[in-house]
Amino acid sequence: MNKPQSVDLVIHGGTIVSDTHQFAASVAIDNGLIVAVGADHTMPAATERFDASGLHLLPGAIDVHVHFRDPGYDYKETWESGTAAAAMGGTTTVFEMPNTHPPTADPAAVADKLERAHSNAYVDFGVYGLLAENNVDQLEALAEAGVIGYKCFMGNTFGNLPSPSTGAMLEAFERIAPLGLRTSLHAETASIMAWRYERLKAAQRNDALAHVAARPSVVAVEAVARAAILSEWSGARIHVLHVSSGAELRPMAEAKARGVDITAETCPHYLRFNTDDYARLGSVIRVNPPVREAHDSDALWRGLADGTLDMIATDHAPHLPEEKHNDVIWDADCGFPGVETQMSLMLDSVNAGQLSLCDYVRISSVAPARAWGLHPAKGRIGVGADADIALVDMARAETIDQNMLHSVNARISPFHGMRVTGVPVHTLVGGRFVMRDRRLVAEARGQGRNVKRIQNMPAADVRNADRTLAAELARAPGAAS
Ligand code: DOR
Ligand code: ZN
């Protein structure tokens, strides 16, 4: 790329962080792209020169797991409020989940959601299509309509979308495999949970920990192992959402060792909380899958360090405060906002020595960019990449205050009151400030773009193509040859 004579913006004085290095350099940005990285005296003239002394420049976080509730539940969250929260949290790309109303299960629903996103988003976005029992014949059309990948609820959660049978899942995987797209799994087995829930409820176990009792980690272990087997058979790429237990790491590691194209995330709440926090937080901490034992958190940290877990995401799941508070745990909505607090919580853990800043860049940006084919346009601060940058102050301390969240209708957080050191202070998306000096830039609304435009998944590795249901149906007597 030729360096232009004069550019839109030069950021100088900061330290650039990649997944392997940290180095002092200036960054030149023009037309939304990074056009130069290097010593300040080599930078072109610029309309604006921005002093980032004392700050670290990270590639913006890519959160592959947010629920923005729009359409259908926009009293909880909207594309405007959800992406404002992302911008304020240093997150520059979000992938949004299909358990809206209507669910994102056909091309018309995708088109409707993309329109809402385009008119309101502060940050870049991708939209998941639903993989369910009753829309297996829509999967190719969803890809055409522009989904970034699929979401399959193996266990039910908010929205109560019925989980597909293993038979429907296998056919879906067979159809998705040649498309090369990744399917993200809510990997908890519905039938085990329903069985335990009925019995616990009938016995009037209504305490907060009864939620954990209904969904012990075997629920997730069984689902991860089963999904990995279907993925291995078909060649469909999968991603395990919100890994919550140490026990899931074994089927994850085994599947990776067998060459399954499987990735996984965990979330800050599984790293930060454990069953000791239920007494204090009550139903506010209710989330699917549940926060588990202290030994699970320890194992998840190890999984992030050794690569069994690839990335951090938030499962940003806003609900109204009155929907979260309930003495009967079964009647409290599951989940809470997370996209605005993820980076501060993780940077605080960097400061505490749990991981390095380079590790954080790997799990928050590089790994998701690679897994969904957005690299090299995203996930790095380098020439030719989108200028999506979180400028963070590693020395700044703040107390997380739920009343300040930009998820304005869902100001309830289990992280409320936690003191964190390490805060994003400015966020750029496509070269534009969306947060500046810890304030949202209102004019940036509606400027976010669909990342489908840059998605470039590696070629698919389809397996057992001659044994798929479609192949067998083609051998039926009446089938056209
Ligand atoms: O607790 C949860 N809430 N877990 C999920 O997987 C979905 C989410 C929601 O949509 O509320
Ligand atoms: Zn979720």
Side-chain angles (χ1 to χ4, degrees):
M1 192 174 294
N2 287 331
K3 223 190 294 173
Q5 294 285 297
S6 176
V7 298
D8 295 334
L9 174 67
V10 166
I11 303 174
H12 62 95
T15 301
I16 296 176
V17 188
S18 76
D19 55 341
T20 53
H21 292 86
Q22 298 191 28
F23 53 99
S26 293
V27 181
I29 294 165
D30 199 51
N31 233 339
L33 298 177
I34 296 169
V35 293
V37 177
D40 199 50
H41 71 269
T42 68
M43 290 293 113
T47 310
E48 180 181 4
R49 280 182 54 83
F50 187 87
D51 185 357
S53 299
L55 303 180
H56 289 81
L57 279 65
L58 319 185
I62 299 173
D63 189 340
V64 304
H65 190 169
V66 304
H67 300 263
F68 286 163
R69 314 298 192 201
D70 184 9
Y73 308 106
D74 56 358
Y75 60 92
K76 295 176 191 266
E77 183 82 293
T78 62
W79 275 92
E80 180 188 1
S81 58
T83 56
M88 294 299 294
T91 292
T92 52
T93 298
V94 290
F95 292 178
E96 206 270 341
M97 288 292 171
N99 57 335
T100 41
H101 190 72
T104 321
D106 57 43
V110 174
D112 173 70
K113 188 174 271 187
L114 287 175
E115 198 177 306
R116 290 164 196 267
H118 273 122
S119 6
N120 291 295
Y122 285 90
V123 302
D124 282 0
F125 54 85
V127 159
Y128 281 108
L130 183 69
L131 181 175
E133 183 95 7
N134 60 3
N135 80 332
V136 174
D137 60 348
Q138 295 290 310
L139 297 171
E140 293 85 357
L142 284 168
E144 292 262 309
V147 300
I148 198 77
Y150 302 90
K151 165 73 177 279
C152 173
F153 291 92
M154 297 176 79
N156 52 354
T157 186
F158 177 74
N160 272 325
L161 301 175
S163 59
S165 65
T166 309
M169 258 178 87
L170 178 58
E171 187 189 346
F173 279 19
E174 290 170 354
R175 296 174 78 135
I176 292 170
L179 305 175
L181 295 177
R182 194 173 293 278
T183 299
S184 294
L185 303 159
H186 184 121
E188 290 187 292
T189 295
S191 60
I192 308 178
M193 298 188 293
W195 185 267
R196 298 175 73 92
Y197 163 80
E198 294 300 340
R199 299 289 291 275
L200 288 161
K201 207 176 146 157
Q204 290 176 30
R205 271 290 307 266
N206 293 332
D207 56 297
L209 282 166
H211 179 58
V212 189
R215 311 169 93 107
S217 51
V218 65
V219 162
V221 172
E222 197 272 347
V224 170
R226 181 158 49 96
I229 286 168
L230 302 184
S231 164
E232 182 174 24
W233 176 264
S234 60
R237 300 190 161 108
I238 58 172
H239 173 72
V240 180
L241 300 160
H242 44 43
V243 173
S244 60
S245 67
E248 283 159 89
L249 298 177
R250 189 173 88 164
M252 272 302 310
E254 287 173 354
K256 286 188 169 187
R258 301 200 303 273
V260 179
D261 192 337
I262 185 171
T263 56
E265 70 187 34
T266 189
C267 311
H269 42 279
Y270 302 116
L271 298 168
R272 286 294 189 134
F273 297 127
N274 60 56
T275 42
D276 293 344
D277 295 294
Y278 280 69
R280 177 174 59 88
L281 293 167
S283 57
V284 173
I285 202 175
R286 188 180 190 210
V287 61
N288 298 325
V291 164
R292 304 185 186 282
E293 311 285 334
H295 65 80
D296 290 299
S297 310
D298 295 344
L300 296 173
W301 277 115
R302 286 196 299 275
L304 282 173
D306 71 18
T308 310
L309 299 176
D310 300 87
M311 63 192 83
I312 191 88
T314 65
D315 193 6
H316 177 82
H319 298 286
L320 306 185
E322 56 266 37
E323 295 172 324
K324 285 296 297 170
H325 289 294
N326 207 305
D327 290 341
V328 177
I329 192 65
W330 314 115
D331 296 334
D333 274 354
C334 298
F336 34 76
V339 74
E340 191 164 349
T341 46
Q342 177 270 116
M343 190 172 284
S344 286
L345 286 162
M346 296 305 293
L347 295 180
D348 185 62
S349 294
V350 169
N351 276 320
Q354 286 269 23
L355 74 171
S356 73
L357 202 48
C358 290
D359 288 336
Y360 175 68
V361 166
R362 169 172 57 82
I363 65 173
S364 63
S365 190
V366 180
R370 286 193 193 281
W372 274 269
L374 306 184
H375 205 271
K378 297 203 186 286
R380 68 190 185 101
I381 297 177
V383 173
D386 287 357
D388 297 350
I389 302 173
L391 291 96
V392 306
D393 183 344
M394 290 303 290
R396 179 164 167 164
E398 260 181 28
T399 300
I400 294 176
D401 180 354
Q402 63 192 11
N403 302 309
M404 301 296 284
L405 293 177
H406 287 70
S407 295
V408 286
N409 293 331
R411 288 180 159 163
I412 177 120
S413 167
F415 303 112
H416 180 65
M418 282 173 73
R419 187 94 179 140
V420 287
T421 304
V423 176
V425 285
H426 319 283
T427 309
L428 288 144
V429 177
R432 284 169 286 101
F433 282 94
V434 295
M435 172 174 73
R436 193 161 178 151
D437 298 317
R438 300 282 307 135
R439 301 174 89 101
L440 187 68
V441 178
E443 307 82 69
R445 179 179 172 192
Q447 307 269 327
R449 290 180 296 168
N450 186 353
V451 298
K452 188 72 188 177
R453 74 187 189 284
I454 52 173
Q455 190 181 33
N456 184 20
M457 296 296 280
D461 176 18
V462 180
R463 316 237 180 107
N464 292 304
D466 61 334
R467 311 258 180 87
T468 64
L469 184 56
E472 297 297 358
L473 288 172
R475 293 177 191 124
S481 54

